[in-house]
Amino acid sequence: MTSKPLIAITGASSGIGEATARAFSAAGHPLLLMARRLDRLEALGLPNAVLKKVDVRDRAAIADAVRDAEALHGPVDMMFANAGIARLGDIAKQPPEEWDEMIDINAKGVMNSVHAVLNGMIARKTGTLMMMSSIAGRKVYPDHTVYCGTKYFVHAISESLRAYLAPHDVRVIVLSPGIIDTEVLDHVKDETTLANYKANKAAIGGGISADIVAQLILDAYQLPQRAIVQEIVITPTRQTY
Ligand code: NDP
């Protein structure tokens, strides 16, 4: 067993989750990395990393993965509920199956991730929940209707969980990035929506690296347990909307 505590990350196979896995690994933490693409988790080649093919819609699979990793590395000290998808599109034309997918992964998947560690953190009177929202969890944007709904959900549950968990010395941090360069828009099918997003992104000089977000997460985590950065809002400097 390594001396630093175990960090669990959902959606660790690309983007912000992957960058965060690398940052915490470099800081000496053992990791539980979860995603559907196991090959991408393996390709990271990180030491002391338990890799699990997990779909966050499967509540039992997350709990099983946490139990297996904790048997090797001790309790999860931070759960980064990061896995998410952005099926942006014109709400009147979008197939409702895409609404379901976002709600199931971005909203219910986050609750499933919290469920796997919540009572352990309460019992130990320590721990951190790092909740992935977005600036789209603070403001609405065109063609983001259900995506914004799921991210407002994350903001709401994070505020509630923070109040509930504060007397137990468990921290709840909500993360609200702007445009970060990742694979998140690779699955948008609405071509007009995608073209508008890309034009807005180009107009502000592009997004910023996931490594910047990962460093902020590490910095916030490393504060003493009695101190909390309640929300992290990080955008490209030119992104003001
Ligand atoms: P990526 O698409 O690069 O990463 C998304 C991650 O989520 C992948 O590792 C993917 O893994 C995982 N994932 C998706 N669906 C599931 C599922 N059902 N079960 C388990 N894992 C899943 O994009 P980002 O890094 O940008 O996205 C990470 C989070 O950041 C998301 O919640 C997103 O909404 C949020 N965000 C992103 C912003 C941006 O501009 N990039 C801005 C604000 C918030 P796999 O496919 O292997 O399962």
Side-chain angles (χ1 to χ4, degrees):
M1 194 186 289
T2 44
S3 56
K4 292 209 175 168
L6 177 63
I7 303 297
I9 302 174
T10 67
S13 59
S14 65
I16 298 166
E18 174 185 338
T20 305
R22 291 189 195 282
F24 277 82
S25 183
H29 289 271
L31 302 168
L32 165 59
L33 305 181
M34 294 171 275
R36 295 165 302 177
R37 291 171 296 173
L38 192 58
D39 57 327
R40 293 279 296 258
L41 297 178
E42 287 165 353
L44 297 181
L46 297 175
N48 297 316
V50 177
L51 312 180
K52 293 285 183 181
K53 182 176 167 64
V54 166
D55 188 317
V56 292
R57 289 170 284 197
D58 185 345
R59 190 182 296 139
I62 305 177
D64 288 349
V66 165
R67 196 178 50 245
D68 289 354
E70 289 189 335
L72 287 172
H73 294 296
V76 170
D77 195 46
M78 183 182 92
M79 169 61 79
F80 183 19
N82 164 70
I85 58 165
R87 303 284 186 258
L88 310 183
D90 181 325
I91 192 68
K93 298 179 188 152
Q94 190 173 35
E97 289 74 16
E98 292 195 349
W99 308 347
D100 294 343
E101 211 184 350
M102 283 186 280
I103 293 165
D104 288 346
I105 295 172
N106 301 4
K108 293 171 75 175
V110 166
M111 282 314 297
N112 292 340
S113 308
V114 168
H115 181 256
V117 296
L118 183 64
N119 283 307
M121 289 181 177
I122 291 171
R124 291 188 298 277
K125 289 193 76 65
T126 193
T128 301
L129 298 176
M130 186 68 64
M131 310 286 277
M132 179 52 95
S133 181
S134 167
I135 53 167
R138 312 172 90 241
K139 298 187 255 194
V140 295
Y141 296 88
D143 295 348
H144 281 58
T145 310
V146 177
Y147 183 74
C148 281
T150 62
K151 295 303 187 180
Y152 272 66
F153 173 92
V154 174
H155 260 79
I157 58 163
S158 298
E159 297 293 320
S160 178
L161 281 165
R162 186 181 304 121
Y164 184 86
L165 290 171
H168 301 283
D169 297 318
V170 174
R171 303 183 296 191
V172 181
I173 299 173
V174 64
L175 190 59
S176 307
I179 298 180
I180 314 299
D181 288 325
T182 69
E183 299 171 19
V184 75
L185 288 190
D186 286 4
H187 305 284
V188 173
K189 296 188 183 103
D190 188 320
E191 286 177 15
T192 308
T193 301
L194 196 55
N196 289 338
Y197 183 93
K198 285 183 176 167
N200 285 335
K201 184 174 172 179
I204 60 161
I208 54 174
S209 163
D211 292 337
I212 296 170
V213 183
Q215 185 61 48
L216 272 174
I217 293 170
L218 182 63
D219 290 346
Y221 171 77
Q222 286 179 333
L223 288 175
Q225 189 70 21
R226 287 199 67 250
I228 179 174
V229 180
Q230 296 192 6
E231 178 168 3
I232 297 172
V233 185
I234 168 73
T235 70
T237 303
R238 290 189 181 190
Q239 185 180 359
T240 56
Y241 49 85

